[in-house]
Amino acid sequence: MLNCRQISRLFSRSQDRPLTFKEKLSLRLHLMLCGACRRFAGQLRFLRQATVLMETRAFTEEPVKLSECARERIKRTLSSCGNNESAV
Amino acid sequence: MPSSLPPDERQATAPETWLDSYGDYLYRYALLSVRDETLAEDLVQETLLAAFKGRQSFDGRAAERTWLTGILKHKILDQLRRQYREAPLQDDAGAEVEEEGYGMNDVFTDEGRWVSRPSAWNDPAKATENAYFWEALHGCIERLAPKQRQLFVLRELHGNSNEEICNEMGISMTNAGVMLYRARMSLRQCLELNWFGQRPTQEKL
């Protein structure tokens, strides 16, 4: 029977690739018997969901912005690029 | 591609609109991956330039933001690949580890039991409705060791498969697995300390 350390690794691996039948079985068996690892597994699942949500949601709410200086610089680069193209 | 505007007019206005509409979004996205303001600004510029040059290939099926984010992801991957070439993974302390090590001695006992049991997280779904939670999560990701953070972002935020990451970065699957494991363990611990541990009891008081 795998210990909690090994199970934590196995569960992390399950988020990256499909487990083999044997691995799945050991994981399931351990989780059935071990409340601490069940909690851990739930936390990693949540972490994954939250990270995905972060992309769609937190980004629009955070106050971080491009500085005016950078914005101007990018605008200049873009428009000079546009002028060059239309000149060709 | 059919369009009601003459091509010149379309080309002249579009990129500036992108900068106004998506500039900050792209900047935040880039910043999370590279954690360097100048670099993030450059990535936004490169992305918009590439988008401008490749605007013919934009078929309008995806949302503009999705299309631009896709370009940015490529630019970030290029950037990280360059960083990896300059400072190969082996330089990262302890990245090359033997199977048993994994550097989790403070988390597990020698027998492989939890030193302290993971605590019950109070209503995680509700946490995501709280703006401070996102700040906490963001902070936790920022505090990861640089290469762990990059791998985690590529895997979880950009949704690359481990195979893709390993191919792009030239690292082994074992190494990638170890780094992702460490990243997840740190983030779990960080959230437990900075969010789920203290906050609920404080709120009750």
Side-chain angles (χ1 to χ4, degrees), chain B residues 141-155:
Chain B
I141 293 178
E142 290 227 313
R143 262 170 276 162
L144 288 174
K147 300 217 160 133
Q148 280 178 31
R149 182 172 46 78
Q150 289 165 0
L151 276 191
F152 184 80
V153 166
L154 287 178
R155 175 79 188 102

Side-chain angles (χ1 to χ4, degrees), chain B residues 86-97:
Chain B
E86 282 158 22
L89 202 63
Q90 282 72 14
D91 292 354
D92 205 18
E96 294 281 332
V97 284

Side-chain angles (χ1 to χ4, degrees), chain B residues 74-178:
Chain B
H74 279 287
K75 296 286 169 198
I76 292 172
L77 200 56
D78 283 344
Q79 173 59 37
L80 294 182
R81 208 183 298 145
R82 276 198 295 274
Q83 280 176 16
Y84 267 82
R85 265 206 294 273
E86 282 158 22
L89 202 63
Q90 282 72 14
D91 292 354
D92 205 18
E96 294 281 332
V97 284
E98 71 282 20
E99 177 64 12
E100 270 314 302
Y102 273 70
M104 287 293 146
N105 292 334
D106 49 339
V107 181
F108 296 103
T109 64
D110 290 345
E111 296 79 37
R113 293 199 198 95
W114 294 95
V115 170
S116 63
R117 287 165 60 92
S119 64
W121 286 7
N122 195 14
D123 202 353
K126 199 153 184 237
T128 60
E129 291 164 15
N130 189 325
Y132 291 113
F133 168 78
W134 297 108
E135 231 166 75
L137 177 59
H138 199 281
C140 287
I141 293 178
E142 290 227 313
R143 262 170 276 162
L144 288 174
K147 300 217 160 133
Q148 280 178 31
R149 182 172 46 78
Q150 289 165 0
L151 276 191
F152 184 80
V153 166
L154 287 178
R155 175 79 188 102
E156 303 290 1
L157 225 77
H158 298 195
N160 292 295
S161 73
N162 275 30
E163 282 89 347
E164 286 167 335
I165 295 173
C166 293
N167 288 338
E168 294 291 344
M169 300 296 168
I171 59 176
S172 71
M173 291 287 276
T174 313
N175 251 339
V178 173

